[in-house]
Amino acid sequence: MPPELPSDLDQPRPSTTTRREVLAAGLGGLLLPAVASAQATPPPPPAKAAPPPKPGTPAKPTTRGEAMLTRPIPSSGEALPVIGLGTWQTFDVGTAPSERGPLAEVLRRFLASGARLIDSSPMYGRAEQVTGDLLDSIGELKTPFLASKVWTTGKDEGLAQLRDSVQRMGRGRMDLMQVHNLVDWRTQLPVLREWKAAGRIRYVGVTHYTRGAFDELERFIREEKLDFVQLPYSLAQRDAEKRLLPAAAEHGVAVLVMQPFASGSLFQRVRGRALPEWAAEFDCTSWAQFFLKFILGHPAVHCPLPATSKPDHVADNLRAGFGRLPDEKQRARMARALEG
């Protein structure tokens, strides 16, 4: 099975507005110093899903009185903050404080903003364990919306992987489990549905990273009564707009977006270019926000999942979840600006 491409990788992000200015303007007064700590994994308790917020509950407001934008999960009405966090490569680290310290600060800033959804997979090396350890160490095990995946063949193997993921990342709870890249979905999807029916997880979904799987993903959206689908979509790769996003909107499936920066290539395309002045029309102050707000300007999208190990970068990404979003006319202009 080919590896899944990253949701995002750290890349230089040229802009007329610096990361420091973004922090000072937005989240700076809210953020706490990093503390790194690796915790031993306790014996596994029975898996238990976190109680959902009431439908329409806003994300946590910042000290400036703002609240991150949310979109309702169609199958439940639960309000989901619109910026998530991927963990592919960035959270696959060891136990050294120099490796984990910045990630603890990433999580602090992420959760302090009102964001919640953290996405991982057993495919991502140590990412699930590191995420769970750091959430434990900063006392935030109950706050996040935790999402992971099953990525194996066979029912017994799938069940073992599910139990491990729930314990490593959530210390006994998990909100969303997805069939990773549709691997052995005929076996794994019924198991996930059994877990959901038993209250061990709250939502079920599927993922795939390649455009060659879009026809199959569309069939799943239309026929399988999913809660979530995760797919690649960005200003550089808009294939999902043709059929997948309309199908998700029609059938009430929440959309998570991997590769929102096209694996970093979008930053290469705008290197050395100033952010357009008209980006201020939708409260945008950096290229990272420009790319994320383009995605969020599509009403079928619920949450892009940029990944980073840098606290300043996560703070910049998070600002895309505040203020105005571009309308269709502005999104068309954004696409032209990328080409220009």
Side-chain angles (χ1 to χ4, degrees), residues 32-302:
L32 302 173
V35 176
S37 175
Q39 300 291 331
T41 302
K48 185 178 180 181
K54 294 179 181 179
T57 300
K60 185 188 300 182
T62 69
T63 52
R64 297 175 67 215
E66 295 177 282
M68 180 175 282
L69 301 171
T70 65
R71 285 184 172 158
I73 299 170
S75 64
S76 68
E78 178 182 351
L80 185 68
V82 296
I83 299 295
L85 181 67
T87 60
W88 167 242
Q89 294 191 338
T90 52
F91 275 63
D92 184 14
V93 301
T95 59
S98 61
E99 294 180 292
R100 293 198 174 195
L103 296 177
E105 182 66 0
V106 164
L107 290 173
R108 277 199 172 86
R109 296 185 184 204
F110 179 78
L111 296 171
S113 76
R116 292 184 64 219
L117 196 154
I118 303 171
D119 179 75
S120 195
S121 171
M123 176 192 165
Y124 300 171
R126 296 161 289 187
E128 286 181 320
Q129 184 71 53
V130 170
T131 301
D133 288 347
L134 292 177
L135 289 173
D136 200 355
S137 74
I138 66 177
E140 290 283 9
L141 280 173
K142 295 182 180 180
T143 302
F145 184 109
L146 296 177
S148 195
K149 308 175 184 80
V150 58
W151 183 64
T152 190
T153 59
K155 184 172 182 177
D156 290 344
E157 292 80 1
L159 284 167
Q161 195 174 82
L162 279 169
R163 295 188 196 100
D164 288 345
S165 292
V166 167
Q167 185 53 38
R168 282 193 298 253
M169 188 172 174
R171 300 299 194 261
R173 77 170 188 87
M174 189 68 69
D175 295 288
L176 164 65
M177 287 299 300
Q178 305 152 95
V179 180
H180 194 134
N181 291 344
L182 300 178
V183 173
D184 194 21
W185 66 265
R186 289 180 177 83
T187 301
Q188 309 307 337
L189 191 56
V191 172
L192 296 188
R193 287 180 170 142
E194 289 173 6
W195 276 45
K196 179 182 175 181
R200 304 184 77 180
I201 58 176
R202 298 198 292 130
Y203 299 103
V204 168
V206 299
T207 82
H208 213 291
Y209 74 96
T210 177
R211 283 173 284 186
F214 277 14
D215 287 347
E216 192 169 13
L217 279 181
E218 183 183 0
R219 186 189 68 76
F220 271 81
I221 290 169
R222 294 187 180 280
E223 299 178 7
E224 294 293 339
K225 296 183 179 179
L226 301 170
D227 299 305
F228 282 84
V229 63
Q230 185 175 156
L231 49 81
Y233 177 51
S234 71
L235 194 49
Q237 182 180 327
R238 300 176 60 184
D239 303 60
E241 292 178 353
K242 297 173 184 176
R243 291 164 59 182
L244 285 183
L245 296 184
E250 178 185 353
H251 292 273
V253 179
V255 176
L256 304 181
V257 171
M258 65 176 81
Q259 304 170 36
F261 300 141
S263 304
S265 67
L266 281 172
F267 294 109
Q268 301 299 325
R269 293 178 64 171
V270 299
R271 184 183 294 278
R273 291 168 54 183
L275 187 72
E277 291 185 4
W278 46 264
E281 296 173 7
F282 43 89
D283 302 312
C284 176
T285 60
S286 74
W287 281 114
Q289 296 168 33
F290 190 91
F291 302 141
L292 292 170
K293 280 179 176 279
F294 174 83
I295 293 169
L296 290 171
H298 197 295
V301 171
H302 288 74

Side-chain angles (χ1 to χ4, degrees), residues 328-339:
E328 278 306 302
K329 184 176 179 180
Q330 290 168 321
R331 291 177 81 243
R333 191 179 187 186
M334 295 167 85
R336 291 193 299 269
L338 183 66
E339 300 302 325

